[in-house]
């Protein structure tokens, strides 16, 4: 397949999957149940945090998280009581449990109270051609308050070798345009050209079969290699190809 043929093929797959029908089977449906900017981004961040494993389980447990936040995540983050946090007892999604959720709520309160919210943190540390450093800085800020050591594993650090799939997915949700009503495009201060395709087993395997990626591990170096390939196809919106790679892998068994 020539570069032009590959681009045409992937662009068609983007059109096939980047539409509202995609939402019904994807965790992105959780933030789509909100309209307030802060509710959307908090719901998206928490949902993305637990986005590994069975998708039905992810959606079920993300829905449960929103219920525990009274289906008003921003208000809950700012005004919760210790008794409210006690209601988290028994919550678990794989290795993310009530201890982790409790700290996430406390940390998000710190971020919205003292750092002007999630978007402001990422914008502050975004460099001209790099969002991965901003993700690393975000982790530092997220854990600047007293925290359980076990919880640090739930935020990845690209500067320590991680592909940071879940945070890159969250950023795609927030930054990419909302023209197709899938991604939200509510963060106007970050350029979509800086986004990275969330790299996981599915997107990685498809990218290798298509010659977009040679590195075998799904790590930060592989992400940088995939970024380079996808930006040649569309330098302004490279992360749109997540729809193509994920769709080909999950829905078509490519």
């Amino acid at each position: 397949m020539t570069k032009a043929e590959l681009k045409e093929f992937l662009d068609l797959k983007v059109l096939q999957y980047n539409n509202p029908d995609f939402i019904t089977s994807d965790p992105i449906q959780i933030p789509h149940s909100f309209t307030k900017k802060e509710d959307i981004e908090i719901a998206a961040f928490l949902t993305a945090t637990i986005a590994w494993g069975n998708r039905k389980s992810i959606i079920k447990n993300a829905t449960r998280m929103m219920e525990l936040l009274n289906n008003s995540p921003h208000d809950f983050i700012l005004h919760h009581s210790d008794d409210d946090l006690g209601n988290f007892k028994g919550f678990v999604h794989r290795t993310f449990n009530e201890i982790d959720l409790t700290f996430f709520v406390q940390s998000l309160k710190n971020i919205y109270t003292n750092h002007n919210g999630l978007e402001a943190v990422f914008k502050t540390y975004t460099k001209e051609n790099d969002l991965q450093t901003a993700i690393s800085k975000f982790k530092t800020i997220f854990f600047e308050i007293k925290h359980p050591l076990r919880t640090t594993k739930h935020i990845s650090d690209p500067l320590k070798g991680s592909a940071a799939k879940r945070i890159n997915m969250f950023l795609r949700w927030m930054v990419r345009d909302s023209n197709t009503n899938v991604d939200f495009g509510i963060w106007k201060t970050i350029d979509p050209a800086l986004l990275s395709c969330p790299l996981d087993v599915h997107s990685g395997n498809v990218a290798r079969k298509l010659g977009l990626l040679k590195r075998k591990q799904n790590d930060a170096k592989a992400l940088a290699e995939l970024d380079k390939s996808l930006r040649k196809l569309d330098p302004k919106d490279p992360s749109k190809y997540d729809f193509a790679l994920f769709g080909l892998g999950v829905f078509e068994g490519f």
Side-chain angles (χ1 to χ4, degrees):
M1 210 182 304
T2 66
K3 179 182 175 181
E5 290 170 337
L6 178 60
K7 176 175 171 54
E8 182 180 9
F9 172 68
L10 290 176
D11 284 345
L12 286 173
K13 289 300 174 182
V14 171
L15 289 174
Q16 180 178 344
Y17 292 111
N18 185 17
N19 64 72
D21 290 340
F22 179 84
I23 296 172
T24 59
S25 63
D26 193 80
I28 200 173
Q29 67 184 259
I30 304 300
H32 268 290
S33 63
F34 299 97
T35 55
K36 179 181 171 184
K37 176 181 182 285
E38 291 82 5
D39 285 341
I40 292 170
E41 60 194 14
I42 291 169
F45 175 68
L46 291 173
T47 298
T49 296
I50 66 165
W52 83 99
N54 180 278
R55 296 169 85 213
K56 289 183 178 179
S57 178
I58 294 165
I59 293 166
K60 176 185 174 183
N61 289 325
T63 300
R64 177 60 181 150
M65 277 198 292
M66 296 306 105
E67 292 170 350
L68 292 170
L69 302 184
N70 298 329
N71 287 308
S72 185
H74 185 231
D75 182 71
F76 186 99
I77 293 295
L78 294 181
H79 304 116
H80 65 270
S81 66
D82 289 342
D83 287 343
D84 293 325
L85 298 179
N87 293 330
F88 296 173
K89 187 175 177 62
F91 177 83
V92 62
H93 175 82
R94 296 176 73 98
T95 64
F96 187 91
N97 65 17
E98 62 197 66
I99 296 171
D100 306 310
L101 180 55
T102 296
F103 175 75
F104 266 59
V105 167
Q106 294 167 336
S107 180
L108 285 168
K109 181 175 183 177
N110 176 56
I111 284 172
Y112 279 89
T113 302
N114 298 312
H115 294 281
N116 203 29
L118 285 166
E119 180 179 5
V121 174
F122 281 98
K123 171 56 181 173
T124 298
Y125 295 102
T126 296
K127 295 184 177 181
E128 184 177 351
N129 294 306
D130 178 38
L131 257 176
Q132 301 309 300
T133 298
I135 295 175
S136 180
K137 291 287 189 180
F138 169 73
K139 178 168 186 173
T140 299
I141 290 171
F142 197 79
F143 291 105
E144 71 180 5
I145 63 174
K146 185 178 179 181
H147 58 273
L149 182 61
R150 59 157 285 120
T151 305
T152 59
K153 67 186 176 186
H154 291 296
I155 303 286
S156 299
D157 187 347
L159 300 192
K160 293 186 177 179
S162 172
K165 173 248 180 177
R166 286 170 284 166
I167 296 187
N168 280 310
M169 182 176 71
F170 163 67
L171 291 171
R172 193 207 85 201
W173 291 356
M174 295 298 95
V175 174
R176 277 198 78 247
D177 70 71
S178 58
N179 289 343
T180 61
N181 298 314
V182 180
D183 292 324
F184 292 91
I186 56 175
W187 285 11
K188 307 297 186 184
T189 60
I190 296 174
D191 187 346
L194 300 180
L195 292 171
S196 294
C197 176
L199 177 60
D200 63 9
V201 171
H202 304 292
S203 58
N205 287 344
V206 173
R208 290 180 185 94
K209 289 177 181 177
L210 293 173
L212 296 166
L213 177 61
K214 293 181 179 179
R215 187 172 174 81
K216 294 180 179 180
Q217 301 98 314
N218 290 328
D219 57 10
K221 290 182 179 179
L223 184 68
E225 183 185 341
L226 182 58
D227 280 347
K228 187 175 180 179
S229 294
L230 296 181
R231 286 180 178 135
K232 289 179 181 177
L233 299 178
D234 190 337
K236 293 184 178 180
D237 188 18
S239 71
K240 74 179 184 184
Y241 292 111
D242 182 31
F243 290 99
L245 299 180
F246 183 82
L248 283 165
V250 172
F251 299 121
E252 301 185 35
F254 183 87

